[in-house]
Amino acid sequence: MVTGTRVLVVDDERDHAEAMAEILERVGYEVTTATSGEEALELLDQEDFDIVITDLVMGEVSGIDVLKAARRAVPDVEVIVISARGGVEAAVEAMRQGAATFLEKPLNIEAVRQVVGRHARTQALSRRNLELERRLDERFGFQGIIGKSPAMQRIFELLRQIAPTNATVLITGESGTGKELIAKAIHHNSLRRNGPFVALNCAAVSEGVLESELFGHVKGAFTGAVRSREGKFEFASGGTLFLDEVGDTPLSIQSKLLRVIEEREIVRVGSNEPIRVDVRLLAATNQDLEKLVEEKAFREDLYFRLNVVSVHLPPLRERREDIPLIADATIRQLNEEYGKEIEGISAEALEILTGYSWPGNVRELKNAVESMHIVSRGPVLQVEDIPAKIRAAGRPAAGLPRLSGVSIQEMERELIRNTLRDVGGNRERAASLLGISERTLYRKIKAYELEE
Ligand SMILES: Nc1ncnc2c1ncn2[C@@H]1O[C@H](COP(=O)(O)OP(=O)(O)OP(=O)(O)O)[C@@H](O)[C@H]1O
Ligand SMILES: [Mg+2]
């Protein structure tokens, strides 16, 4: 039973409606009844209901009409349609319209109670998750992109500004920093969000294939072109085209890309006829495009055209405060996927994860957390669960405590003082243990004022 769940019961036989209402009220739901489809529509207009239980065959306004109106009013409403025995076609229609459940008369009270209970719980859970996601987004992120670091916050701010425009955006950053995620977020927050998002990896195919992938070809354009085909530019019309690994585009294709950007029209391979395209371009690369420009491997004019706005994603090791957040979000996501309830990560394990260099960035972090999630035996992920390679790299050198937050001078002074004390002031022994000459030790003793 989920408190505060509002149920609308619709049945043109008043006795049935009232009996049903009584059953549900007894277990604590807030129930309203309607004895005609018309009355139900009026109520749906005035109030929001979480669950609607409706008879299928009524007067002029049928259960299907009630169902549609309910969906319009509250998109995640649960609708249970009830019909007399044998109404297979009606059942199919109800399902097609998105009825959650179809029950046959005569009704079994226990079954009704169970179905309503299950719906109420699922609905409450998914609403809570949505709310959590929304709150997390508000505080730390943008469309599922997590980050509270100042660098990421600045990026979110920039995304809010540029997403609704038609500007070409160049997204740069090391592998696994979230370039594709950013591209999708830009599209989904743009005016083109209802149009297609089409991605093409410019590094994954050969020069010839890339040209036809981008611009399409006509029948007979080359051996094997048995029919004409649209390219990604045409596919993406009205939407966004994401050119991934754009730094790997061969020079011959670069000049064609430049022309498309300038003319806003493409020519299919093997054809002379230009076709107008309406596409917003986003591009990404983990290479240094400016360096490629200097080396004449990337056209400067194309670089300027792509780099109207640039979004640079810093490597994860330069925004370590995001590591616990991303790890946490990954755990929640995996809990849902695997039906396992991991509560979090132990402090020691988190310290290792936060200290690691993450050359594979967020992708590597998510993979590591997933592997920990799989092997863990308790509700909290532990140091032992961390993949060996990362654990080894994140551990302090053998026998030494993990130090951080003190200056090298402070450490050196402590080290010399303790060593001298341990060897009873014998400078020769102390110098040998410290691996420095006696002269150096003498100098340091003076500098740190360690003389007795
Ligand atoms: N800030 C973030 N918050 C949550 N998930 C992220 C974030 N950044 C990246 N990810 C996730 O990390 C993975 C890698 O991201 P993505 O594929 O966008 O990286 P990329 O920069 O395109 O990498 P590559 O250069 O290797 O193609 C994806 O699963 C993505 O969802
Ligand atoms: Mg990518």
Side-chain angles (χ1 to χ4, degrees), residues 179-180 242 244-245 363:
K179 296 185 293 296
E180 182 154 0
F242 174 49
D244 205 356
E245 316 277 2
R363 180 181 294 116

Side-chain angles (χ1 to χ4, degrees), residues 241-387:
L241 176 59
F242 174 49
L243 299 177
D244 205 356
E245 316 277 2
V246 75
D248 292 298
T249 313
L251 280 164
S252 66
I253 308 272
Q254 287 179 27
S255 52
K256 290 183 172 141
L257 264 180
L258 182 69
R259 216 187 42 230
V260 175
I261 296 174
E262 283 171 350
E263 312 289 332
R264 305 248 143 231
E265 47 186 43
I266 56 116
V267 179
R268 287 187 184 184
V269 177
S271 157
N272 291 319
E273 224 172 287
I275 303 173
R276 288 209 71 76
V277 286
D278 167 32
V279 167
R280 180 190 198 171
L281 272 187
L282 304 176
T285 180
N286 50 27
Q287 303 197 60
D288 184 348
L289 274 194
E290 276 182 51
K291 196 162 143 256
L292 292 184
V293 168
E294 263 169 44
E295 292 165 356
K296 303 259 182 278
F298 202 87
R299 290 183 67 118
E300 186 172 35
D301 42 11
L302 180 59
Y303 170 64
F304 287 135
R305 286 288 187 171
L306 294 178
N307 196 24
V308 176
V309 181
S310 60
V311 174
H312 176 70
L313 288 166
L316 192 56
R317 64 185 168 279
E318 288 174 18
R319 43 176 163 122
R320 292 188 193 272
E321 58 268 56
D322 292 342
I323 293 173
L325 277 184
I326 295 173
D328 247 17
T330 308
I331 290 173
R332 274 196 300 126
Q333 213 175 317
L334 294 169
N335 280 345
E336 221 162 90
E337 213 168 292
Y338 295 131
K340 200 170 166 183
E341 266 310 315
I342 299 291
E343 289 158 14
I345 306 180
S346 76
E348 297 82 17
L350 196 57
E351 200 177 327
I352 292 179
L353 294 186
T354 317
Y356 180 63
S357 61
W358 301 111
N361 294 294
V362 182
R363 180 181 294 116
E364 188 184 13
L365 172 61
K366 287 182 91 169
N367 287 343
V369 171
E370 175 156 16
S371 136
M372 292 170 73
H373 195 275
I374 291 168
V375 302
S376 88
R377 268 163 294 151
V380 175
L381 303 183
Q382 304 289 347
V383 172
E384 309 85 85
D385 302 328
I386 300 178

